[in-house]
Amino acid sequence: MSDQNTTELAQYITDMVPAMMAEIRPRLVEAALTGHRSETENIRHEDNFLSEYDLWMHGRYKELLSVYLPSFIYASEEADPQVVGSDPEPDLCILVDPLDTSELAVRSLHGYTHIMVYSRSLKRPVIAVVGDIFHHVQLYVAMREPDGADRAFMVTASGDRHALNQPSRARLPQALVTNYLMRPEERFRPLAKQQQFFDALSAASADGKRRGRIGVDFGSVSLCHVAAGFTDATVEFAKGFAVWDLSPGHYILHAAGGVTIDLDGDPIPLDCGLNSTAEINQTMGTRRKFIAAGNRVLAEEIRETMQR
């Protein structure tokens, strides 16, 4: 895919995602107000909430992408990967989590949508868009530009665009660190046992004030918040994130200048394993533990305090 085509596709997707969010938002608000949350059986992920809204977004993404792209591999959380179009080996793999945090979206609290365009020939993402359905900052975007550089920006509901290139330089005692801690047994309890981490986060600064904070965040948007400098780091050391939750935000944070490492301290590569049918199927069933931060020093400080 040429750089010019990448730019045009990025524009198409950044126009498409807000339009989809505008379609689904009033339906989610109605679900919250009426209590009719349209939950359905989740055959692929038994312990995850699945609604008719997830499935609608899944189908709508495929429909709208097919208008623009003659062929692509469609790798969605909600179905097995499939080739769309006549080319049996298209270059582009489109990775989608149609409605992330849907159990909160149907309560009109939080809801996100992730899409990433991955070039199999380049073995890396070339576009990622994370949409925030309910907040003023609506889009976090990264793309490979014609000069070959990766750049990130965010877009507000009023259309203002802001470059993302100044992630946090905070050290651990001054940091706001987030975690997806909603599940009591799977995630909150393991987090609560990280006493060394909490001791370091709670340490006093030179002026005696304790500025470290722990917060909750969700999926790819947690890495986007680090990219924007809204938070300083996000961690996942319990269950791990699936590729559709990690990779779009990972690419956006990478383009903004932040870092994402595994629990051994190695950088997580942009090649997330979407290069062949066998790799895609394996990747869709794999989870990764990670530390994502605005700077490498902070990531290492967090890693050194983590008990595994």
Side-chain angles (χ1 to χ4, degrees):
M1 188 176 195
S2 72
D3 291 330
Q4 180 179 354
N5 289 340
T6 298
T7 301
E8 293 171 355
L9 177 58
Q11 186 60 58
Y12 180 80
I13 292 173
T14 54
D15 290 339
M16 176 183 70
V17 171
M20 287 184 61
M21 293 195 300
E23 285 188 70
I24 199 67
R25 189 181 300 112
R27 298 171 61 186
L28 294 172
V29 172
E30 182 181 5
L33 293 172
T34 62
H36 298 150
R37 293 169 185 150
S38 301
E39 183 174 3
T40 187
E41 182 182 4
N42 194 335
I43 298 173
R44 289 171 58 79
H45 310 285
E46 292 182 1
D47 60 341
N48 285 356
F49 180 90
L50 179 69
S51 72
E52 292 178 8
Y53 308 110
D54 297 79
L55 299 175
W56 179 84
M57 295 276 279
H58 162 84
R60 188 70 170 138
Y61 265 127
K62 185 167 68 170
E63 176 187 358
L64 292 175
L65 288 165
S66 299
V67 171
Y68 190 89
L69 293 171
S71 285
F72 56 96
I73 298 172
Y74 190 55
S76 169
E77 180 187 3
E78 313 307 347
D80 292 332
Q82 66 177 118
V83 174
V84 178
S86 57
D87 185 349
E89 291 290 343
D91 178 51
L92 298 184
C93 180
I94 312 296
L95 180 71
V96 170
D97 184 351
L99 184 59
D100 187 45
T101 322
S102 56
E103 62 192 307
L104 297 182
V106 296
R107 297 171 184 264
S108 288
L109 292 171
H110 297 276
Y112 309 96
T113 183
H114 314 157
I115 181 167
M116 186 178 81
V117 180
Y118 182 93
S119 169
R120 298 165 73 201
S121 59
L122 296 176
K123 296 187 176 183
R124 70 190 309 280
V126 292
I127 302 166
V129 178
V130 173
D132 186 330
I133 296 170
F134 295 114
H135 296 103
H136 183 65
V137 179
Q138 285 199 334
L139 297 179
Y140 300 88
V141 182
M143 59 177 292
R144 180 182 168 92
E145 295 203 332
D147 61 2
D150 296 304
R151 292 186 173 86
F153 60 92
M154 71 181 201
V155 183
T156 67
S158 54
D160 297 323
R161 175 170 164 164
H162 303 271
L164 302 182
N165 53 22
Q166 294 182 324
S168 170
R169 297 181 180 179
R171 302 293 293 271
L172 187 52
Q174 294 82 41
L176 169 57
V177 181
T178 65
N179 177 260
Y180 179 54
L181 48 81
M182 281 187 58
R183 291 181 176 269
E185 186 64 32
E186 291 180 350
R187 298 186 187 274
F188 181 78
R189 194 183 298 276
L191 174 67
K193 293 179 180 178
Q194 294 291 334
Q195 190 60 52
Q196 188 176 348
F197 166 68
F198 283 122
D199 288 345
L201 187 62
S202 301
S205 300
D207 60 3
K209 293 185 177 180
R210 301 180 187 275
R211 293 186 172 86
R213 297 290 186 270
I214 189 76
V216 64
D217 217 328
F218 314 95
S220 259
V221 78
S222 65
L223 288 87
C224 296
H225 292 155
V226 178
F230 299 160
T231 61
D232 302 300
T234 189
V235 300
E236 172 50 41
F237 58 89
K239 187 177 179 180
F241 273 18
V243 64
W244 54 78
D245 283 323
L246 174 58
S247 292
H250 173 209
Y251 179 46
I252 292 168
L253 179 56
H254 163 84
V259 298
T260 307
I261 62 175
D262 63 24
L263 300 190
D264 293 320
D266 297 320
I268 294 179
L270 290 180
D271 180 356
C272 53
L274 300 173
N275 306 306
S276 68
T277 301
E279 261 194 296
I280 292 169
N281 286 323
Q282 180 179 359
T283 296
M284 296 295 280
T286 302
R287 289 181 174 270
R288 271 191 180 270
K289 301 175 182 180
F290 67 91
I291 300 165
N295 64 84
R296 181 62 190 250
V297 173
L298 176 57
E300 284 294 336
E301 286 181 328
I302 295 170
R303 189 181 73 84
E304 288 170 3
T305 67
M306 285 292 173
Q307 299 165 343
R308 290 185 277 165

CSV table of all heavy atoms in Angstrom, one decimal, residues 64-108:
chain,number,residue,atom,x,y,z
A,64,LEU,N,-18.7,-0.9,5.9
A,64,LEU,CA,-18.2,0.4,5.4
A,64,LEU,C,-16.7,0.2,4.9
A,64,LEU,O,-16.3,1.0,4.0
A,64,LEU,CB,-18.2,1.4,6.6
A,64,LEU,CG,-19.6,1.8,7.0
A,64,LEU,CD1,-19.5,2.7,8.3
A,64,LEU,CD2,-20.3,2.5,5.9
A,65,LEU,N,-16.0,-0.7,5.5
A,65,LEU,CA,-14.6,-0.9,4.9
A,65,LEU,C,-14.7,-1.5,3.6
A,65,LEU,O,-13.8,-1.2,2.7
A,65,LEU,CB,-13.8,-1.8,5.9
A,65,LEU,CG,-13.4,-1.2,7.2
A,65,LEU,CD1,-13.0,-2.2,8.2
A,65,LEU,CD2,-12.3,-0.2,7.0
A,66,SER,N,-15.7,-2.3,3.3
A,66,SER,CA,-15.8,-3.0,2.0
A,66,SER,C,-16.1,-2.0,0.9
A,66,SER,O,-15.8,-2.2,-0.3
A,66,SER,CB,-16.9,-4.0,2.0
A,66,SER,OG,-16.6,-5.0,2.9
A,67,VAL,N,-16.7,-0.8,1.3
A,67,VAL,CA,-17.0,0.2,0.3
A,67,VAL,C,-15.7,0.8,-0.2
A,67,VAL,O,-15.6,1.2,-1.4
A,67,VAL,CB,-17.9,1.3,1.0
A,67,VAL,CG1,-18.0,2.5,0.1
A,67,VAL,CG2,-19.2,0.8,1.3
A,68,TYR,N,-14.7,0.9,0.6
A,68,TYR,CA,-13.4,1.6,0.3
A,68,TYR,C,-12.4,0.6,-0.2
A,68,TYR,O,-11.6,0.9,-1.1
A,68,TYR,CB,-12.9,2.4,1.5
A,68,TYR,CG,-11.8,3.3,1.2
A,68,TYR,CD1,-12.0,4.6,0.7
A,68,TYR,CD2,-10.5,2.9,1.2
A,68,TYR,CE1,-11.0,5.5,0.4
A,68,TYR,CE2,-9.4,3.7,0.9
A,68,TYR,CZ,-9.7,5.0,0.5
A,68,TYR,OH,-8.6,5.9,0.2
A,69,LEU,N,-12.3,-0.5,0.4
A,69,LEU,CA,-11.2,-1.5,0.2
A,69,LEU,C,-11.7,-2.7,-0.6
A,69,LEU,O,-12.6,-3.3,-0.2
A,69,LEU,CB,-10.5,-2.0,1.5
A,69,LEU,CG,-9.8,-1.0,2.3
A,69,LEU,CD1,-9.4,-1.6,3.7
A,69,LEU,CD2,-8.5,-0.5,1.6
A,70,PRO,N,-11.1,-3.0,-1.8
A,70,PRO,CA,-11.5,-4.1,-2.6
A,70,PRO,C,-11.3,-5.5,-1.9
A,70,PRO,O,-12.1,-6.4,-2.0
A,70,PRO,CB,-10.7,-4.0,-3.9
A,70,PRO,CG,-9.5,-3.2,-3.5
A,70,PRO,CD,-10.0,-2.3,-2.5
A,71,SER,N,-10.2,-5.6,-1.1
A,71,SER,CA,-9.9,-6.8,-0.4
A,71,SER,C,-9.2,-6.5,0.9
A,71,SER,O,-8.3,-5.7,0.9
A,71,SER,CB,-9.1,-7.8,-1.3
A,71,SER,OG,-9.9,-8.4,-2.3
A,72,PHE,N,-9.5,-7.3,1.9
A,72,PHE,CA,-8.7,-7.2,3.2
A,72,PHE,C,-9.1,-8.4,4.0
A,72,PHE,O,-10.1,-9.1,3.8
A,72,PHE,CB,-9.1,-5.9,3.9
A,72,PHE,CG,-10.5,-5.7,4.2
A,72,PHE,CD1,-11.1,-6.0,5.5
A,72,PHE,CD2,-11.4,-5.1,3.3
A,72,PHE,CE1,-12.4,-5.9,5.7
A,72,PHE,CE2,-12.7,-4.9,3.6
A,72,PHE,CZ,-13.2,-5.3,4.8
A,73,ILE,N,-8.2,-8.6,5.0
A,73,ILE,CA,-8.5,-9.6,6.1
A,73,ILE,C,-9.2,-8.9,7.2
A,73,ILE,O,-8.7,-7.9,7.7
A,73,ILE,CB,-7.3,-10.4,6.5
A,73,ILE,CG1,-6.6,-11.1,5.4
A,73,ILE,CG2,-7.6,-11.3,7.7
A,73,ILE,CD1,-5.3,-11.7,5.7
A,74,TYR,N,-10.4,-9.4,7.6
A,74,TYR,CA,-11.1,-8.8,8.7
A,74,TYR,C,-11.0,-9.6,9.9
A,74,TYR,O,-11.5,-10.7,10.0
A,74,TYR,CB,-12.6,-8.7,8.3
A,74,TYR,CG,-13.4,-7.8,9.2
A,74,TYR,CD1,-13.1,-6.5,9.5
A,74,TYR,CD2,-14.6,-8.3,9.8
A,74,TYR,CE1,-13.9,-5.7,10.3
A,74,TYR,CE2,-15.4,-7.6,10.6
A,74,TYR,CZ,-15.0,-6.3,10.9
A,74,TYR,OH,-15.8,-5.5,11.7
A,75,ALA,N,-10.3,-9.1,10.9
A,75,ALA,CA,-10.0,-9.8,12.2
A,75,ALA,C,-10.6,-9.0,13.3
A,75,ALA,O,-10.1,-8.1,13.9
A,75,ALA,CB,-8.5,-9.9,12.4
A,76,SER,N,-11.9,-9.4,13.6
A,76,SER,CA,-12.7,-8.8,14.7
A,76,SER,C,-12.7,-9.6,15.9
A,76,SER,O,-12.7,-10.9,15.8
A,76,SER,CB,-14.1,-8.5,14.1
A,76,SER,OG,-15.0,-8.1,15.2
A,77,GLU,N,-12.9,-9.0,17.1
A,77,GLU,CA,-13.1,-9.7,18.3
A,77,GLU,C,-14.3,-10.6,18.2
A,77,GLU,O,-14.3,-11.7,18.8
A,77,GLU,CB,-13.2,-8.8,19.5
A,77,GLU,CG,-13.4,-9.6,20.8
A,77,GLU,CD,-13.7,-8.7,22.0
A,77,GLU,OE1,-13.9,-7.5,21.8
A,77,GLU,OE2,-13.8,-9.2,23.1
A,78,GLU,N,-15.3,-10.3,17.4
A,78,GLU,CA,-16.6,-10.9,17.5
A,78,GLU,C,-16.7,-12.1,16.5
A,78,GLU,O,-17.8,-12.7,16.5
A,78,GLU,CB,-17.7,-9.9,17.2
A,78,GLU,CG,-17.6,-8.6,18.0
A,78,GLU,CD,-17.5,-8.8,19.5
A,78,GLU,OE1,-17.7,-9.9,20.0
A,78,GLU,OE2,-17.1,-7.8,20.2
A,79,ALA,N,-15.7,-12.4,15.7
A,79,ALA,CA,-15.8,-13.5,14.7
A,79,ALA,C,-14.4,-14.0,14.3
A,79,ALA,O,-13.4,-13.3,14.6
A,79,ALA,CB,-16.6,-13.1,13.5
A,80,ASP,N,-14.4,-15.2,13.7
A,80,ASP,CA,-13.1,-15.7,13.2
A,80,ASP,C,-12.6,-14.8,12.1
A,80,ASP,O,-13.4,-14.2,11.3
A,80,ASP,CB,-13.3,-17.1,12.7
A,80,ASP,CG,-13.6,-18.1,13.8
A,80,ASP,OD1,-13.2,-17.8,15.0
A,80,ASP,OD2,-14.3,-19.1,13.6
A,81,PRO,N,-11.3,-14.7,11.9
A,81,PRO,CA,-10.8,-13.9,10.8
A,81,PRO,C,-11.3,-14.4,9.5
A,81,PRO,O,-11.4,-15.6,9.2
A,81,PRO,CB,-9.3,-14.1,10.9
A,81,PRO,CG,-9.1,-14.4,12.4
A,81,PRO,CD,-10.3,-15.2,12.8
A,82,GLN,N,-11.6,-13.5,8.5
A,82,GLN,CA,-12.0,-13.8,7.2
A,82,GLN,C,-11.5,-12.9,6.2
A,82,GLN,O,-11.2,-11.7,6.4
A,82,GLN,CB,-13.6,-13.8,7.2
A,82,GLN,CG,-14.2,-12.4,7.3
A,82,GLN,CD,-15.7,-12.4,7.2
A,82,GLN,OE1,-16.4,-12.1,8.1
A,82,GLN,NE2,-16.2,-12.8,6.0
A,83,VAL,N,-11.3,-13.4,5.0
A,83,VAL,CA,-10.9,-12.6,3.8
A,83,VAL,C,-12.2,-12.0,3.2
A,83,VAL,O,-13.1,-12.7,2.9
A,83,VAL,CB,-10.2,-13.4,2.8
A,83,VAL,CG1,-9.9,-12.6,1.5
A,83,VAL,CG2,-8.9,-14.0,3.4
A,84,VAL,N,-12.2,-10.7,3.0
A,84,VAL,CA,-13.3,-10.0,2.4
A,84,VAL,C,-12.8,-9.5,1.0
A,84,VAL,O,-11.7,-8.9,0.9
A,84,VAL,CB,-13.7,-8.8,3.2
A,84,VAL,CG1,-14.8,-8.0,2.5
A,84,VAL,CG2,-14.2,-9.2,4.6
A,85,GLY,N,-13.5,-9.8,0.0
A,85,GLY,CA,-13.1,-9.5,-1.4
A,85,GLY,C,-12.5,-10.7,-2.1
A,85,GLY,O,-12.5,-11.8,-1.6
A,86,SER,N,-12.1,-10.4,-3.3
A,86,SER,CA,-11.7,-11.5,-4.3
A,86,SER,C,-10.2,-11.9,-4.1
A,86,SER,O,-9.8,-13.0,-4.6
A,86,SER,CB,-11.9,-11.1,-5.7
A,86,SER,OG,-11.2,-9.8,-6.0
A,87,ASP,N,-9.3,-11.1,-3.5
A,87,ASP,CA,-7.9,-11.4,-3.4
A,87,ASP,C,-7.8,-12.4,-2.3
A,87,ASP,O,-8.1,-12.0,-1.1
A,87,ASP,CB,-7.1,-10.1,-3.1
A,87,ASP,CG,-5.6,-10.3,-3.1
A,87,ASP,OD1,-5.2,-11.5,-3.1
A,87,ASP,OD2,-4.9,-9.3,-3.1
A,88,PRO,N,-7.2,-13.6,-2.5
A,88,PRO,CA,-7.1,-14.5,-1.4
A,88,PRO,C,-6.0,-14.2,-0.4
A,88,PRO,O,-6.0,-14.7,0.7
A,88,PRO,CB,-6.8,-15.8,-2.2
A,88,PRO,CG,-6.1,-15.4,-3.5
A,88,PRO,CD,-6.8,-14.1,-3.8
A,89,GLU,N,-5.1,-13.3,-0.8
A,89,GLU,CA,-4.0,-12.9,0.1
A,89,GLU,C,-3.8,-11.4,0.1
A,89,GLU,O,-2.8,-10.9,-0.4
A,89,GLU,CB,-2.7,-13.6,-0.4
A,89,GLU,CG,-2.6,-15.1,-0.1
A,89,GLU,CD,-2.5,-15.5,1.3
A,89,GLU,OE1,-2.2,-14.6,2.2
A,89,GLU,OE2,-2.8,-16.6,1.7
A,90,PRO,N,-4.7,-10.7,0.6
A,90,PRO,CA,-4.6,-9.2,0.6
A,90,PRO,C,-3.5,-8.8,1.5
A,90,PRO,O,-3.2,-9.4,2.5
A,90,PRO,CB,-6.0,-8.7,1.0
A,90,PRO,CG,-6.5,-9.9,1.8
A,90,PRO,CD,-6.0,-11.1,1.2
A,91,ASP,N,-2.9,-7.6,1.3
A,91,ASP,CA,-1.9,-7.1,2.1
A,91,ASP,C,-2.4,-6.6,3.4
A,91,ASP,O,-1.8,-6.9,4.5
A,91,ASP,CB,-1.1,-5.9,1.4
A,91,ASP,CG,0.0,-5.4,2.3
A,91,ASP,OD1,0.8,-6.2,2.8
A,91,ASP,OD2,0.0,-4.1,2.5
A,92,LEU,N,-3.6,-6.0,3.5
A,92,LEU,CA,-4.0,-5.3,4.7
A,92,LEU,C,-4.9,-6.3,5.5
A,92,LEU,O,-5.8,-7.0,5.0
A,92,LEU,CB,-4.9,-4.1,4.3
A,92,LEU,CG,-4.1,-3.0,3.6
A,92,LEU,CD1,-5.0,-1.8,3.4
A,92,LEU,CD2,-2.8,-2.6,4.3
A,93,CYS,N,-4.6,-6.3,6.8
A,93,CYS,CA,-5.4,-7.0,7.8
A,93,CYS,C,-6.0,-5.9,8.7
A,93,CYS,O,-5.2,-5.1,9.3
A,93,CYS,CB,-4.5,-7.9,8.6
A,93,CYS,SG,-5.5,-8.8,9.9
A,94,ILE,N,-7.3,-5.8,8.8
A,94,ILE,CA,-8.0,-4.8,9.6
A,94,ILE,C,-8.4,-5.5,10.9
A,94,ILE,O,-9.2,-6.4,10.9
A,94,ILE,CB,-9.2,-4.3,8.9
A,94,ILE,CG1,-8.9,-3.9,7.4
A,94,ILE,CG2,-9.8,-3.1,9.6
A,94,ILE,CD1,-8.0,-2.8,7.2
A,95,LEU,N,-7.8,-5.0,12.0
A,95,LEU,CA,-8.0,-5.5,13.3
A,95,LEU,C,-9.1,-4.6,14.0
A,95,LEU,O,-8.9,-3.4,14.1
A,95,LEU,CB,-6.8,-5.6,14.1
A,95,LEU,CG,-6.8,-6.1,15.5
A,95,LEU,CD1,-7.1,-7.6,15.6
A,95,LEU,CD2,-5.5,-5.8,16.3
A,96,VAL,N,-10.1,-5.2,14.5
A,96,VAL,CA,-11.2,-4.4,15.1
A,96,VAL,C,-11.7,-5.0,16.4
A,96,VAL,O,-11.9,-6.2,16.6
A,96,VAL,CB,-12.4,-4.4,14.1
A,96,VAL,CG1,-13.6,-3.7,14.7
A,96,VAL,CG2,-12.1,-3.6,12.8
A,97,ASP,N,-11.9,-4.1,17.4
A,97,ASP,CA,-12.7,-4.4,18.6
A,97,ASP,C,-13.9,-3.4,18.4
A,97,ASP,O,-13.7,-2.2,18.8
A,97,ASP,CB,-11.9,-4.2,19.9
A,97,ASP,CG,-12.8,-4.6,21.1
A,97,ASP,OD1,-14.0,-4.8,20.9
A,97,ASP,OD2,-12.2,-4.6,22.2
A,98,PRO,N,-15.0,-3.9,18.0
A,98,PRO,CA,-16.1,-3.0,17.6
A,98,PRO,C,-16.6,-2.1,18.7
A,98,PRO,O,-16.8,-0.9,18.6
A,98,PRO,CB,-17.2,-3.9,17.1
A,98,PRO,CG,-16.5,-5.2,16.8
A,98,PRO,CD,-15.4,-5.3,17.7
A,99,LEU,N,-16.8,-2.7,19.9
A,99,LEU,CA,-17.3,-1.9,21.1
A,99,LEU,C,-16.6,-2.4,22.3
A,99,LEU,O,-17.1,-3.4,22.9
A,99,LEU,CB,-18.8,-2.1,21.2
A,99,LEU,CG,-19.6,-1.3,22.2
A,99,LEU,CD1,-19.3,0.2,22.1
A,99,LEU,CD2,-21.0,-1.6,22.3
A,100,ASP,N,-15.6,-1.8,22.7
A,100,ASP,CA,-14.8,-2.2,23.9
A,100,ASP,C,-15.5,-1.6,25.1
A,100,ASP,O,-16.1,-0.5,25.1
A,100,ASP,CB,-13.4,-1.6,23.8
A,100,ASP,CG,-12.5,-2.1,24.9
A,100,ASP,OD1,-12.6,-3.4,25.2
A,100,ASP,OD2,-11.8,-1.4,25.5
A,101,THR,N,-15.4,-2.4,26.2
A,101,THR,CA,-16.1,-2.0,27.5
A,101,THR,C,-17.6,-1.9,27.3
A,101,THR,O,-18.2,-1.0,27.8
A,101,THR,CB,-15.5,-0.7,28.1
A,101,THR,OG1,-14.1,-0.6,27.8
A,101,THR,CG2,-15.7,-0.6,29.6
A,102,SER,N,-18.1,-2.9,26.5
A,102,SER,CA,-19.6,-2.8,26.2
A,102,SER,C,-20.5,-2.9,27.4
A,102,SER,O,-21.6,-2.4,27.4
A,102,SER,CB,-19.9,-3.8,25.1
A,102,SER,OG,-19.6,-5.1,25.5
A,103,GLU,N,-20.0,-3.6,28.4
A,103,GLU,CA,-20.9,-3.7,29.6
A,103,GLU,C,-21.1,-2.4,30.3
A,103,GLU,O,-22.0,-2.2,31.1
A,103,GLU,CB,-20.3,-4.8,30.6
A,103,GLU,CG,-18.9,-4.4,31.1
A,103,GLU,CD,-18.3,-5.6,31.9
A,103,GLU,OE1,-18.9,-6.2,32.7
A,103,GLU,OE2,-17.1,-6.0,31.5
A,104,LEU,N,-20.1,-1.5,30.1
A,104,LEU,CA,-20.3,-0.1,30.6
A,104,LEU,C,-20.9,0.8,29.6
A,104,LEU,O,-21.6,1.8,29.9
A,104,LEU,CB,-18.9,0.5,31.0
A,104,LEU,CG,-18.2,-0.2,32.2
A,104,LEU,CD1,-16.9,0.5,32.5
A,104,LEU,CD2,-19.1,-0.3,33.4
A,105,ALA,N,-20.7,0.5,28.3
A,105,ALA,CA,-21.3,1.3,27.2
A,105,ALA,C,-22.8,1.2,27.3
A,105,ALA,O,-23.5,2.3,27.1
A,105,ALA,CB,-20.8,0.8,25.9
A,106,VAL,N,-23.4,0.1,27.6
A,106,VAL,CA,-24.9,0.0,27.7
A,106,VAL,C,-25.4,0.6,29.0
A,106,VAL,O,-26.6,0.7,29.1
A,106,VAL,CB,-25.3,-1.5,27.6
A,106,VAL,CG1,-25.0,-2.1,26.3
A,106,VAL,CG2,-24.7,-2.3,28.7
A,107,ARG,N,-24.5,1.1,29.8
A,107,ARG,CA,-24.9,2.0,31.0
A,107,ARG,C,-24.6,3.4,30.7
A,107,ARG,O,-24.7,4.3,31.6
A,107,ARG,CB,-24.2,1.5,32.2
A,107,ARG,CG,-24.6,0.0,32.6
A,107,ARG,CD,-23.7,-0.5,33.8
A,107,ARG,NE,-24.0,-1.9,34.1
A,107,ARG,CZ,-24.8,-2.3,35.1
A,107,ARG,NH1,-25.4,-1.4,35.8
A,107,ARG,NH2,-25.0,-3.5,35.3
A,108,SER,N,-24.1,3.8,29.5
A,108,SER,CA,-23.7,5.1,29.1
A,108,SER,C,-22.6,5.7,30.0
A,108,SER,O,-22.6,6.9,30.3
A,108,SER,CB,-24.9,6.1,29.2
A,108,SER,OG,-25.8,5.8,28.1
